[in-house]
Amino acid sequence: MSAKEKKSIYKPKPVSGFPEWTPEVRMIEQQWLDHIRRTFESYGFCSIETPSVEELDVIRAKGGDGGADVDKEVYVLERLHKEEGDKDARLALHFDQTVPLARYTAQHFDKLVFPFKRYQMQRVWRGERPQAGRFREFTQCDIDVINVDTLPLHFDAEMPAIIWETLSSLPGMEKENIQIRVSNRKILMGFLKTLGITDSKDILSITRNVDKIEKQGQEELRCTLVSIIKHTPALAPLSTIDLIMELVKIKATSSEFSGLLHDFIVRNDVIARSISDEAIQNFKEGIEELAFVMDQLSHLPEGAVVADLSIVRGLDYYTGTVYETVFLDDPGYGSICSGGRYDDLASSYIHKALPGVGISIGFSRLFARMLDNSAFETKRKSPADIFVVLPNEERRALANETAQTLRKRGFNVETSHGGKLKRQLAYAEKKGIPYVWFPPFEDGLDHEIKNMDTGEQIHADPATWTI
């Protein structure tokens, strides 16, 4: 073949930020997803799935600044070759599952039973800069509870309890030291207003920067606060900053939380400083709600859940309880599970009050980290429990019949397509299939099965054999 006649070959390469796994890793990923699904369903959550795309107006409806703060993360869908008269893109890949849930609940309101408890395990897309644990396409595993008019606070406590049970029992996670950090946005928001900080843009800027304290550090947060807080009616700016810094550094277990907060309030005479009864009421309400949630979680192991007043979450649709989950031994990795309460998320889609609370496992982020740390045994490249050898072509029907008998009994079985016995065994070994079944090579002989790990080979009956 001449150089001109040679077929042009495109050399495949990974697409940055879009992970894909080999079969052996995908098997473990599916096992994790199955485990999470079983745990969610054990608490009565039902599964839903929404389209990968939403109307762009739906996605923007709950973003701050008219949706501008989510625009940088959203991938829109439009045809590569637009024709004259085609409108601008109106569909976009969803960047989380909370906004689609709000739209779904509003759209199907008359068909749902409330409190509506749902779980959703789907891929989402964000226009982020790819890095360790940060992808442009990734899977999230969400649980949410939505109710009409009011939602009991005990659901806020149920969320981290479910997540603790889920994460601490995932295969490979048994030795990981994780911690769920809980706060309530009303505490910081109310406190800022008691200090005379009432401008909504200043409050939003402060809360978003406080939320980054783990990554940026206390000194950088202090410098940022200086640039935001130039003057307050109640206090000198530096005194205000000192109080904010002291508040957001409070971190405590359920048994310590109330005491630390009471000490902070009394020592700094917080209530007397307040310039607004409504502000101090919000502050107190947030403390009471957080104290209730922490008390309800006191049955979990010591340190599994802590109150952390630096947790406020970046998205401003959260209105009360908020959560983040971290690796204590790897704090720089960031949150692997987060969420919170939202009292008004569906108001853009329906004239009803539908408060909710939810939490989301950043599945791909968590899974990739565990994979990088070699937490999994990836020897098996096949879901098959048993590989049935083909003795010869004349016995293909017997091999197929044997495999079918074993499948009906619940085993995953792959049947050989032939070849030399040595090659068949090598194939089973490469795929990590734990058992090899030998149908009789001639009449009058018994079936046999071989344990590939131990090398033991015994007589067996396909109708009765068990692992």
Side-chain angles (χ1 to χ4, degrees):
M1 182 183 291
S2 67
K4 289 184 178 180
E5 292 174 321
K6 285 185 177 179
K7 182 179 178 181
S8 176
I9 297 294
Y10 172 78
K11 186 177 181 180
K13 56 182 180 290
V15 181
S16 181
F18 293 79
E20 73 179 4
W21 311 122
T22 54
E24 58 269 30
V25 175
R26 174 62 175 154
M27 281 179 58
I28 299 170
E29 184 182 43
Q30 287 182 305
Q31 290 169 7
W32 267 37
L33 290 169
D34 289 342
H35 174 91
I36 294 170
R37 184 179 296 108
R38 284 193 300 270
T39 308
F40 288 171
E41 290 183 355
S42 75
Y43 281 83
F45 287 81
C46 60
S47 174
I48 70 166
E49 187 169 290
T50 59
S52 299
V53 297
E54 294 283 348
E55 295 276 356
L56 189 53
D57 289 342
V58 169
I59 290 177
R60 283 174 163 169
K62 280 301 170 183
D65 196 18
D69 62 344
V70 300
D71 280 359
K72 64 180 181 293
E73 294 189 349
V74 172
Y75 288 105
V76 297
L77 264 64
E78 58 183 351
R79 291 191 300 171
L80 184 60
H81 297 289
K82 295 178 69 173
E83 297 179 359
E84 187 176 348
D86 282 354
K87 296 180 180 179
D88 290 336
R90 66 180 186 86
L91 297 177
L93 294 168
H94 55 231
F95 72 93
D96 76 352
Q97 294 178 152
T98 308
V99 171
L101 171 64
R103 188 271 307 157
Y104 177 97
T105 306
Q107 186 172 329
H108 300 281
F109 179 82
D110 292 335
K111 301 174 184 176
L112 301 176
V113 177
F114 292 91
F116 176 45
K117 300 179 70 173
R118 85 84 173 89
Y119 75 88
Q120 199 166 343
M121 299 166 62
Q122 286 185 239
R123 294 188 179 187
V124 298
W125 294 264
R126 291 183 190 173
E128 296 194 276
R129 182 174 64 86
Q131 52 185 301
R134 295 285 183 186
F135 303 106
R136 289 172 173 163
E137 178 185 57
F138 53 95
T139 298
Q140 285 186 326
C141 302
D142 292 18
I143 47 172
D144 287 78
V145 182
I146 295 179
N147 202 32
V148 181
D149 295 331
T150 60
L151 181 69
L153 195 61
H154 65 78
F155 284 113
D156 292 43
E158 185 179 53
M159 291 290 151
I162 295 170
I163 290 303
W164 173 260
E165 179 179 335
T166 303
L167 296 183
S168 62
S169 58
L170 274 170
M173 288 279 290
E174 298 87 356
K175 296 181 180 179
E176 291 294 335
N177 193 7
I178 61 172
Q179 184 177 78
I180 302 172
R181 297 173 178 175
V182 188
S183 188
N184 191 301
R185 281 174 65 94
K186 293 176 185 177
I187 297 175
L188 180 59
M189 304 281 275
F191 185 63
L192 293 176
K193 290 177 181 178
T194 68
L195 300 178
I197 304 171
T198 57
D199 183 272
S200 58
K201 288 187 177 179
D202 286 348
I203 290 175
L204 181 61
S205 181
I206 291 170
T207 55
R208 289 188 172 181
N209 279 283
V210 167
D211 205 47
K212 300 174 183 176
I213 189 172
E214 192 81 23
K215 181 188 293 185
Q216 297 180 348
Q218 294 182 18
E219 286 308 310
E220 185 166 341
L221 173 60
R222 180 180 289 276
C223 292
T224 303
L225 293 178
V226 169
S227 67
I228 297 171
I229 304 170
K230 297 180 175 62
H231 173 72
T232 62
L235 300 163
L238 288 179
S239 177
T240 300
I241 292 168
D242 288 339
L243 284 171
I244 295 171
M245 292 296 297
E246 185 177 348
L247 178 71
V248 301
K249 284 191 286 186
I250 292 176
K251 186 180 293 187
T253 61
S254 57
S255 60
E256 302 168 331
F257 171 69
S258 295
L260 284 176
L261 254 296
H262 180 266
D263 177 65
F264 171 80
I265 291 168
V266 172
R267 182 161 33 82
N268 294 295
D269 203 11
V270 170
I271 296 175
R273 292 177 185 273
S274 176
I275 64 170
S276 164
D277 290 340
E278 181 183 357
I280 202 65
Q281 181 60 36
N282 286 342
F283 177 67
K284 287 180 176 179
E285 194 173 274
I287 292 173
E288 290 171 1
E289 290 179 0
L290 181 53
F292 175 86
V293 170
M294 292 300 296
D295 183 62
Q296 294 294 303
L297 295 170
S298 60
H299 64 285
L300 295 179
E302 184 72 14
V305 179
V306 297
D308 184 343
L309 299 193
S310 70
I311 305 299
V312 288
R313 302 293 298 141
L315 292 169
D316 57 359
Y317 56 61
Y318 292 119
T319 55
T321 308
V322 284
Y323 319 99
E324 286 196 357
T325 308
V326 297
F327 288 105
L328 283 179
D329 300 327
D330 190 7
Y333 196 75
S335 179
I336 54 171
C337 180
S338 58
R341 174 176 278 253
Y342 41 89
D343 288 329
D344 197 34
L345 191 61
S347 64
S348 297
Y349 318 119
I350 190 172
H351 291 297
K352 288 187 180 292
L354 296 174
V357 64
I359 195 165
S360 174
I361 299 173
F363 181 87
S364 297
R365 177 175 173 76
L366 172 62
F367 186 77
R369 191 256 189 196
M370 299 302 292
L371 187 63
D372 289 343
N373 287 1
S374 302
F376 308 126
E377 172 62 60
T378 56
K379 178 181 176 181
R380 292 189 64 173
K381 303 177 187 294
S382 169
D385 304 305
I386 302 169
F387 179 76
V388 177
V389 163
L390 181 66
N392 51 58
E393 200 58 41
E394 290 73 23
R395 294 194 171 258
R396 182 175 293 277
L398 175 60
N400 289 336
E401 180 184 339
T402 301
Q404 207 53 25
T405 299
L406 291 165
R407 289 189 191 105
K408 287 178 180 178
R409 297 185 55 226
F411 297 108
N412 296 334
V413 184
E414 181 176 350
T415 307
S416 174
H417 286 277
K420 293 182 178 180
L421 180 59
K422 186 176 180 179
R423 288 190 176 182
Q424 293 184 54
L425 293 175
Y427 173 84
E429 186 174 10
K430 285 180 181 178
K431 296 193 76 171
I433 301 174
Y435 294 93
V436 173
W437 194 281
F438 299 90
F441 277 53
E442 58 184 67
D443 293 340
L445 298 179
D446 292 332
H447 291 263
E448 293 187 6
I449 189 166
K450 180 177 182 178
N451 184 320
M452 295 295 282
D453 284 334
T454 65
E456 181 185 18
Q457 186 166 325
I458 61 172
H459 297 290
D461 183 343
T464 59
W465 178 82
T466 57
I467 293 177

